[in-house]
Amino acid sequence: MGEFKVHRVRFFDFMPSGIRCMAFNSKADRLALARLNGSVEIFNFSNNYFQEKVIPGNDSRSIEAICWVGCDRLFTAGLNGEVVEYDLERLCPKYTLDAFGGPIWTAACNSAETHFAFGCEDGSVKLFEILPDKIQFERNLDRQKGRILSLSWHKTGTLIAAGSLDVIRVFDVKSGHSVQRILVDRGPAGTRNKDCVVWNVAFLSDYTIVSGDSAGKVQLWDANKGTLIKTHLVSKWDVLSLSVSENEDSIVAGTSEGMVVQFQLLSPTIGDAETQWIRTRTFKHHTHDVRAVTETKTSVVSGGLDTQLVICPLMDKVEVKSSESVLRKVIFPHRSLVSCAKKPSLLLFQFPDQLELWRLGGTDTVGKPGESLPVTRKPEKLLQLKRKGDDHICCSTISECGHWIAYSTVSSIRLYQLQCDNNNISISKVSKLPKVLRSAHQLQFSADSSKLFVASEQATIHVISLSRSECKHVHTFKPKSGSSAPVHLLAASADGQWLTSANRHCEINVYNLKKLKHHCMVPVYNSLPSAMAIHPETNNLLMAHADQQVFEFSIVDKQYTDWSRKLQKEGLHRCRSKWHTPITHITFNPSAPSQVMLHDTHMFCIIDQSLPLVDLKAQFYSRLTPKDMSETDRPSKNNAFKMCKKYQPLLHVNLLEDDWLVVVERPLIDIHSQLPAPVRQKKFGT
């Protein structure tokens, strides 16, 4: 497979933001979550839990609640007092309106999806009517003393339970009056001087109210009588989140010590018809506050301050050894945040609020395989480019020559020209951009840096010609199907003739840049593309999908290649199927054209298309094992698939000139060191 000299990069200080709230849409099988930085992410659970869409955050947006309406409408509310509905095609806010109640702490939609209720700082519960194209204020329920921190509708839509400090109130929606006031016990004697914060409530169809509070209790109440049914002491710390399963036979609670507890409605003895809520499972996959939990048909999903989304399977509801039976921890985005200029050995790192440009270090020492070489030229941070405005950066790129940098927010695109003279660097903003450029979902420079390809928010692709004096709009490509789905991947050929785009409807379009017209569409596969690249010599398009499948398509012949058909027939090695994070980048070895390199978070692998595919039951050999074999036995152990797990977690892998391999890692210990201290727990012997 060849040997590489490796740049091991660990100076990309990417820090994911903590998870604040989440909502699962069982109709669409999608999870929406909001992070502390105001960004919103949507995961497609039916497509290998792929991160399907990302809506960038905004410095002025603080999200406390997130709700689905139907299959395709998403709302958030937060401490800025505003309610936001999102455009899930353009990936930006559709409109924003003020609830005029101060900061909004909670939101809930009724089961009929006709009304929203928002709990506000001023003690009011505000009802909004859900219309086809907007929401409209209807009226206030009786204002109470203290902020409203949690809300839940009864299934009939006639009652609302509201939690605040020391009390749970039940409102009659029709009259707007409080019909029940339930005082919540503050807990043990030592904590009675502190307010008991009711962080979450859930209203069951049998008129039972479930509450989670700051005293560490999960309590069940009779809403009609206002009496306590049962108390479960879950933790010495806060119960921050609650979720009830769709058929109301399971409750999941998340605590501030990183623990998730499940309760199930079971009969205490065999054959007994009477059921009660019994604590059945405890999950400990988090180190910090679990701010959000939800339960799907097959798993418990949780997220919190430690930034990771944990999908824990319920083994009694899934098939053993299926893809649903795997514990998943999603920490890093399912897209690349690193761009590479290969010739000058530059790396561009994307943060929400800035870009960083680094020049790789180097060494003059020649070593043996596996040896760490001393750095004679240290890596150098050349540029820190801060974005303008409050909107976060959604995409960025650097040209192959390193002379152009472009980035976009949801409101604007900015293009910069770089001049590097030895140790001196100058940057100038291109002030006059074509008027068609408003915002982009994806940016890509051509191989010769003469063009910029912009995937717009209108699902079109603009071709921009670049020169030192001006930038001109050359052409706009539109998908032949007329789809309005956002484009999330772009790939351009090395000879400047072909451009490919992939959108959220699983469509991959090929455009001819010489003739400026649509060339063909790749047959639609029912899994989203996660990475793609065009081979620099054959112009074959290599695609990786969210379900781990890899295809090769001949652009010239407009059909899958023989190698691709053989790969689909025989499959990759079974060890590759054990990885459950999507492939995020594909590149080719310039010194060995038959070698394709692709990577996910946990490993990178090299596929040599000139070698036979590996037997699915064959054993993988380490790098040193074949060297110990005889010359006659060694060729029989050669196969097309080689894998490396030495470097992880991986954010980017690319091949530079002269057989240099750049590997960008982000060790989890570096992320954990930047988190606030967790809740202190007493352990035996301390």
Side-chain angles (χ1 to χ4, degrees):
M1 284 292 177
E3 294 182 352
F4 302 99
K5 296 168 283 186
V6 180
H7 284 285
R8 196 169 185 177
V9 174
R10 290 191 170 187
F11 44 78
F12 180 23
D13 294 328
F14 171 72
M15 184 64 193
S17 182
I19 296 172
R20 179 61 191 91
C21 53
M22 64 174 65
F24 182 71
N25 189 328
S26 58
K27 300 174 186 176
D29 206 21
R30 283 166 171 78
L31 178 83
L33 65 84
R35 294 190 179 268
L36 296 176
N37 64 0
S39 64
V40 175
E41 300 170 8
I42 298 175
F43 290 82
N44 190 337
F45 275 35
S46 61
N47 196 358
N48 205 26
Y49 304 90
F50 185 62
Q51 189 185 58
E52 190 176 60
K53 297 176 182 178
V54 177
I55 301 173
N58 184 288
D59 287 348
S60 62
R61 189 187 309 142
S62 173
I63 299 175
E64 290 291 317
I66 188 167
C67 295
W68 287 98
V69 173
C71 294
D72 55 359
R73 296 184 70 182
L74 187 64
F75 295 83
T76 63
L79 298 182
N80 59 358
E82 294 179 340
V83 182
V84 181
E85 181 176 4
Y86 294 91
D87 188 328
L88 298 184
E89 296 291 337
R90 299 177 62 195
L91 301 183
C92 63
K94 187 177 181 180
Y95 62 86
T96 301
L97 56 88
D98 199 319
F100 294 103
I104 300 173
W105 290 94
T106 181
C109 178
N110 64 355
S111 58
E113 297 184 341
T114 59
H115 286 83
F116 264 123
F118 297 101
C120 301
E121 176 77 16
D122 64 358
S124 64
V125 176
K126 298 182 178 293
L127 294 185
F128 281 73
E129 184 183 4
I130 301 173
L131 302 175
D133 57 345
K134 61 179 181 178
I135 63 172
Q136 181 174 286
F137 175 74
E138 189 172 280
R139 58 195 171 89
N140 289 329
L141 305 186
D142 286 351
R143 182 175 296 183
Q144 307 298 317
K145 184 179 179 181
R147 61 175 69 121
I148 305 296
L149 294 170
S150 51
L151 288 172
S152 181
W153 288 77
H154 188 262
K155 198 170 185 179
T156 60
T158 58
L159 298 174
I160 295 177
S164 54
L165 298 182
D166 295 324
V167 66
I168 299 171
R169 290 182 176 87
V170 179
F171 290 93
D172 183 280
V173 175
K174 187 175 181 180
S175 67
H177 300 317
S178 173
V179 295
Q180 195 64 260
R181 183 174 180 268
I182 303 171
L183 291 177
V184 180
D185 183 21
R186 292 190 173 186
T191 61
R192 292 188 181 276
N193 59 339
K194 297 181 181 178
D195 292 330
C196 183
V197 182
V198 182
W199 289 116
N200 261 281
V201 291
F203 212 149
L204 306 186
S205 56
D206 64 354
Y207 293 92
T208 299
I209 297 175
V210 187
S211 66
D213 58 44
S214 59
K217 307 186 302 296
V218 173
Q219 294 183 302
L220 295 104
W221 307 86
D222 187 322
N224 293 321
K225 299 177 181 177
T227 55
L228 179 65
I229 300 173
K230 189 160 186 177
T231 297
H232 295 274
L233 186 59
V234 173
S235 170
K236 294 180 180 179
W237 310 95
D238 297 44
V239 175
L240 296 172
S241 50
L242 275 179
S243 178
V244 179
S245 63
E246 198 169 357
N247 54 4
E248 297 187 357
D249 63 350
S250 174
I251 298 171
V252 179
T255 71
S256 59
E257 57 186 338
M259 190 167 60
V260 177
V261 180
Q262 184 185 23
F263 299 89
Q264 289 179 281
L265 191 60
L266 303 170
S267 57
T269 57
I270 297 176
D272 191 353
E274 186 179 349
T275 58
Q276 60 185 26
W277 289 100
I278 299 173
R279 178 172 173 172
T280 55
R281 294 186 180 98
T282 300
F283 308 100
K284 189 70 171 70
H285 300 300
H286 296 275
T287 58
H288 291 67
D289 295 359
V290 180
R291 298 283 185 89
V293 292
T294 190
E295 187 175 348
T296 71
K297 292 180 180 179
T298 59
S299 61
V300 172
V301 186
S302 56
L305 202 59
D306 62 0
T307 77
Q308 62 182 351
L309 175 70
V310 177
I311 303 166
C312 184
L314 298 172
M315 299 308 294
D316 56 332
K317 296 183 179 181
V318 298
E319 293 182 15
V320 179
K321 294 186 178 180
S322 68
S323 61
E324 293 180 332
S325 65
V326 180
L327 174 68
R328 300 169 188 265
K329 295 184 178 181
V330 181
I331 302 175
F332 300 101
H334 292 169
R335 58 196 174 103
S336 183
L337 299 176
V338 181
S339 302
C340 180
K342 296 181 181 180
K343 293 179 182 178
S345 297
L346 300 178
L347 291 178
L348 183 70
F349 299 143
Q350 177 184 318
F351 298 87
D353 59 341
Q354 65 183 27
L355 302 175
E356 287 184 1
L357 183 65
W358 287 75
R359 179 187 287 135
L360 291 171
T363 182
D364 299 325
T365 308
V366 178
K368 299 177 181 178
E371 184 180 357
S372 296
L373 304 179
V375 177
T376 54
R377 296 182 302 280
K378 291 185 177 181
E380 184 181 1
K381 184 178 179 180
L382 301 178
L383 179 68
Q384 180 174 308
L385 183 62
K386 293 191 175 182
R387 54 130 167 89
K388 302 294 183 182
D390 292 337
D391 292 320
H392 292 181
I393 296 172
C394 56
C395 60
S396 62
T397 187
I398 185 171
S399 64
E400 200 70 31
C401 63
H403 293 159
W404 298 92
I405 288 178
Y407 78 84
S408 177
T409 65
V410 296
S411 56
S412 65
I413 295 176
R414 295 184 182 269
L415 178 65
Y416 296 88
Q417 192 170 5
L418 291 174
Q419 294 291 336
C420 291
D421 253 345
N422 296 325
N423 293 327
N424 299 322
I425 183 169
S426 62
I427 182 170
S428 58
K429 178 189 171 185
V430 179
S431 56
K432 292 184 179 180
L433 293 178
K435 293 182 179 180
V436 295
L437 300 184
R438 297 175 184 173
S439 67
H441 291 151
Q442 193 68 22
L443 296 165
Q444 176 80 40
F445 286 101
S446 60
D448 61 0
S449 305
S450 64
K451 293 182 178 66
L452 172 65
F453 308 115
V454 180
S456 74
E457 77 280 4
Q458 297 175 341
T460 57
I461 300 173
H462 303 303
V463 180
I464 308 300
S465 175
L466 304 176
S467 66
R468 294 198 173 189
S469 58
E470 60 180 350
C471 299
K472 288 184 177 180
H473 174 240
V474 177
H475 189 71
T476 297
F477 291 116
K478 297 181 180 180
K480 193 173 182 179
S481 64
S483 171
S484 60
V487 172
H488 67 287
L489 291 175
L490 289 174
S493 63
D495 60 6
Q497 183 173 358
W498 306 107
L499 174 68
T500 60
S501 68
N503 64 28
R504 304 292 181 182
H505 287 171
C506 303
E507 297 176 352
I508 299 177
N509 289 283
V510 182
Y511 303 99
N512 190 320
L513 293 171
K514 302 292 186 183
K515 298 180 180 179
L516 295 178
K517 69 176 186 178
H518 185 273
H519 177 68
C520 67
M521 182 190 294
V522 178
V524 176
Y525 181 65
N526 62 354
S527 179
L528 277 171
S530 61
M532 64 182 186
I534 300 176
H535 196 283
E537 294 187 7
T538 63
N539 274 343
N540 290 339
L541 174 65
L542 201 79
M543 303 157 287
H545 293 261
D547 63 353
Q548 310 291 342
Q549 294 298 316
V550 177
F551 297 89
E552 187 183 44
F553 183 81
S554 172
I555 293 178
V556 176
D557 298 334
K558 300 183 182 181
Q559 64 180 5
Y560 289 118
T561 64
D562 293 338
W563 181 85
S564 180
R565 297 178 193 277
K566 187 177 180 182
L567 179 65
Q568 289 305 307
K569 184 178 179 180
E570 299 185 16
L572 293 173
H573 194 276
R574 66 180 189 275
C575 288
R576 180 66 190 91
S577 63
K578 293 181 181 179
W579 270 260
H580 301 281
T581 55
I583 295 166
T584 55
H585 188 256
I586 298 174
T587 189
F588 303 95
N589 188 351
S591 59
S594 63
Q595 293 182 6
V596 181
M597 182 174 290
L598 39 86
H599 80 87
D600 64 4
T601 305
H602 298 292
M603 62 94 218
F604 72 85
C605 66
I606 297 176
I607 301 176
D608 194 326
Q609 295 178 307
S610 65
L611 294 177
L613 293 173
V614 63
D615 182 2
L616 294 181
K617 296 182 180 179
Q619 179 184 353
F620 264 151
Y621 290 89
S622 69
R623 180 177 58 85
L624 298 176
T625 303
K627 294 186 177 181
D628 300 330
M629 299 177 184
S630 64
E631 292 291 336
T632 56
D633 291 341
R634 197 179 303 170
S636 65
K637 302 300 180 183
N638 277 342
N639 59 72
F641 187 70
K642 291 293 184 293
M643 183 171 62
C644 177
K645 298 184 288 181
K646 181 178 180 180
Y647 312 103
Q648 56 177 288
L650 290 173
L651 294 184
H652 189 73
V653 176
N654 216 328
L655 280 164
L656 308 180
E657 296 179 346
D658 301 326
D659 289 332
W660 275 102
L661 180 71
V662 57
V663 175
V664 181
E665 298 174 279
R666 184 57 172 154
L668 295 181
I669 192 170
D670 292 346
I671 292 177
H672 294 157
S673 66
Q674 296 185 38
L675 295 173
V679 169
R680 184 180 180 275
Q681 300 181 42
K682 176 71 175 177
K683 295 185 178 180
F684 178 76
T686 61

